[in-house]
Amino acid sequence: MSSSASSSAMKSMFDPKLVKPAIAESFKKLAPQIQWRNPVMFVVYLGSILTTMFLIKSLFGKDEAASGFIALVSIWLWFTVLFANFAEAMAEGRSKAQAASLRSAKKNVVAKKLANESRESAVTLTDSNSLRRGDLLLVEAGDMIPADGEVVDGIASVNEAAITGESAPVIRESGGDFSAVTGGTQVLSDWIVMRVSVNPGEAFLDRMIAMVEGAKRQKTPNEIALTILLVALTIVFLLVTVTLLPFSMFGVSAVGAGSPPSVTVLISLLVCLIPTTIAGLLSAIGVAGMSRMMQANVIATSGRAVEAAGDVNVLLLDKTGTITLGNRQASTFIPANGVTEHALADAAQLASLNDETPEGRSVVVLAKIRFNIREREIATLGATFIPFTAQTRMSGVHLKDGDRQREILKGAASAIKQHVENLGGVFTADINQKVDDVARRGSTPLVVADDKVVLGVVELKDIVKGGIKERFSELRRMGITTIMITGDNRLTAAAIAAEAGVDDFLAEATPEAKLKLIRDYQAEGKLVAMTGDGTNDAPALAQADVAVAMNTGTQAAKEAGNMVDLDSNPTKLIEIVEIGKQMLMTRGSLTTFSIANDVAKYFAIIPAAFASTFPALNALNIMHLGSPNSAILSAVIFNALIIIVLIPLALKGVAYKAIGAQQLLRRNLLIYGLGGLVVPFIGIKIIDAALTSVGFA
């Protein structure tokens, strides 16, 4: 990142519109019922209250320690609590700002309720808040879509900018995987009849707002485990600190000299010993992870999904649109023996005249480029077009040529072979060889037949995306297995998989095969991530640990997934895994820093705390701090300030690098472990020098 980009990111992070509410929220979070949610910081909170009580007592001449010292310790303990609150409030503020922008898209509009699925049926105007699942609505050009639902009739151009942030309109139509519409979007042209799929309060926009609100975030399993560890460390140090006072009093009475440390000093010692740095930032890290998903235009319906993304072992990736550019294009006509290339091109073009898919249009274009074969008027051909279905895996045209009837079909080799043989024709070894040759090149063979005569093969090329092989190499270094999912035959799938650099592939994939593959990996103890958009993907999405549904997909897919990609970009799955990894890396890095930080603080505060009781401990004062009181106060001040210093890192996340677990551990220990040891020595020494210079002793 350039310095200008970094500075602009920092400015946006500390935007006054976020900072001012966060400061106010920091004070609101001082309520005991809120502080109790973070046990480590609750101990600091209690310490702040106790030192404040000692300060009040000192004002009445009952000094537990020097009143100025107590006052400063008390103030900085309260700052420690407030700074931790501020870190969480800043993270929540960013999420709330995102939620506010989403909430502005949620409007109460008038809905046109229909009596049945016909556009011509009776229309009743009703409030969108009163709509229920199953209601049928008419939405025309200029109308807002009142609720989430499925298009049952019609086709329309829809502006989804309020949801996705993209200004380009999208097409929504009945049937297929582009029938889902979202409340709060607007129909720009034409009309649709839609069936409402949710009740009030259950809409996609409602769920987005609820999940983006950081305050409603559930703690993830790893976060809970880390919290338990931090609480255990706090209890251990609490017991140690509590026992130090009687031991010190016993030591003083035995030696007959010196004085035991004050309770204020022991509270300061406890606060500096317990892992306050990571405890104060832990919630902010989790909220920021959800926020970064939102910035990537991904809505996570579960905090567990964000964390699971960081622990994923296996990625299931669709070939088309993810690994390849999609929109396969016809590149070559390969005629059968005894058939001219022109005859094959003419037949393939006839079979594709009504095929509006990118592949079908590319066949027509290639025939025009190669042989100047022009599109013919449909009416003059007496043609009846045969649509493609998943069952037949063929499409084409039925022609009346005088008394003769012809049926030209194009489709998968296995489907054309079965069709030709059923008519008494022969699928020759020559055609088989041509099909295999095309498949080995990583292309898709499209076989063309005129009645029972096979004319040849059209080669459809699918281009592997640039840079995708390097991305997969990075994932492999991180220990993640990549698996390509495709409906192509094994030869084609193997060629594309080799070119893309994936670890494995599943060819001729069915919903059952995807589901079985996921369960097999999960049975080995691995976490699986996948994307999907169709109803047939719903079972596998429901089974996957990280399931990213496309926003353009069906309602069934979105309900089965635990994330929704508003951009409907299948390659986003790789970015999602990186965001999850970054959140875990941030948490691990700051935990390493916090624990190392505490070790360094021991050398500052322990010699100072017990110098009056055990003078021999002065030998451990390797930092040569000015006085016991300034040493203790310096450690307390540093303990508070370091939370503020680390807030940008907690919110932004540590720099992501695709490295293995061992390299990551070494990097953490070198940067954050060593840094956590060195920084406190420097920071405490600087603060102590400042206190000494103003005459504090």
Side-chain angles (χ1 to χ4, degrees), residues 252-336:
V252 169
S253 63
V255 175
S259 61
S262 65
V263 177
T264 300
V265 168
L266 290 177
I267 290 172
S268 302
L269 173 64
L270 175 62
V271 169
C272 290
L273 291 182
I274 63 179
T276 51
T277 306
I278 184 60
L281 297 171
L282 188 58
S283 181
I285 293 168
V287 176
M290 297 279 284
S291 180
R292 280 196 294 276
M293 283 289 183
M294 183 60 192
Q295 288 168 358
N297 253 10
V298 176
I299 298 296
T301 57
S302 163
R304 290 170 182 248
V306 180
E307 190 169 88
D311 285 328
V312 158
N313 308 107
V314 180
L315 285 186
L316 302 186
L317 301 157
D318 277 331
K319 184 201 77 171
T320 305
T322 305
I323 294 172
T324 63
L325 294 174
N327 298 342
R328 294 171 299 184
Q329 304 290 305
S331 63
T332 314
F333 293 117
I334 307 171

Side-chain angles (χ1 to χ4, degrees), residues 373-384:
I373 300 174
R374 301 285 176 172
E375 293 188 36
R376 279 150 282 188
E377 288 293 330
I378 304 300
T380 63
L381 297 173
T384 304

Side-chain angles (χ1 to χ4, degrees), residues 56-107:
I56 294 170
K57 282 179 65 179
S58 71
L59 297 178
F60 293 95
K62 299 177 180 179
D63 287 359
E64 189 269 341
S67 57
F69 174 69
I70 299 173
L72 288 171
V73 169
S74 180
I75 289 169
W76 281 101
L77 289 183
W78 281 115
F79 274 141
T80 305
V81 177
L82 286 169
F83 290 164
N85 290 349
F86 180 74
E88 185 176 37
M90 279 292 291
E92 290 176 357
R94 295 170 77 196
S95 292
K96 287 175 182 176
Q98 292 166 335
S101 67
L102 292 172
R103 195 176 283 109
S104 66
K106 184 175 168 54
K107 300 174 182 176

Side-chain angles (χ1 to χ4, degrees), residues 133-330:
R133 186 193 300 265
D135 287 345
L136 293 165
L137 309 176
L138 172 64
V139 190
E140 298 175 297
D143 292 348
M144 297 291 292
I145 294 176
D148 293 2
E150 299 274 350
V151 179
V152 296
D153 190 20
I155 180 171
S157 173
V158 180
N159 176 14
E160 295 188 340
I163 305 297
T164 65
E166 296 293 332
S167 57
V170 295
I171 301 299
R172 293 289 176 262
E173 58 185 323
S174 58
D177 292 340
F178 297 93
S179 60
V181 289
T182 306
T185 58
Q186 184 181 32
V187 171
L188 298 179
S189 66
D190 302 294
W191 58 271
I192 54 171
V193 174
M194 60 170 285
R195 180 181 287 109
V196 177
S197 58
V198 294
N199 291 320
E202 299 174 358
F204 179 56
L205 204 55
D206 293 318
R207 286 185 288 132
M208 285 168 64
I209 293 168
M211 290 311 304
V212 169
E213 292 280 7
K216 299 183 190 298
R217 186 185 64 90
Q218 295 290 322
K219 285 189 175 181
T220 60
N222 282 354
E223 194 174 344
I224 292 170
L226 181 55
T227 301
I228 292 171
L229 173 62
L230 298 180
V231 169
L233 289 172
T234 302
I235 292 172
V236 169
F237 286 123
L238 180 61
L239 293 174
V240 169
T241 307
V242 167
T243 58
L244 283 174
L245 183 59
F247 278 122
S248 298
M249 293 173 68
F250 174 77
V252 169
S253 63
V255 175
S259 61
S262 65
V263 177
T264 300
V265 168
L266 290 177
I267 290 172
S268 302
L269 173 64
L270 175 62
V271 169
C272 290
L273 291 182
I274 63 179
T276 51
T277 306
I278 184 60
L281 297 171
L282 188 58
S283 181
I285 293 168
V287 176
M290 297 279 284
S291 180
R292 280 196 294 276
M293 283 289 183
M294 183 60 192
Q295 288 168 358
N297 253 10
V298 176
I299 298 296
T301 57
S302 163
R304 290 170 182 248
V306 180
E307 190 169 88
D311 285 328
V312 158
N313 308 107
V314 180
L315 285 186
L316 302 186
L317 301 157
D318 277 331
K319 184 201 77 171
T320 305
T322 305
I323 294 172
T324 63
L325 294 174
N327 298 342
R328 294 171 299 184
Q329 304 290 305

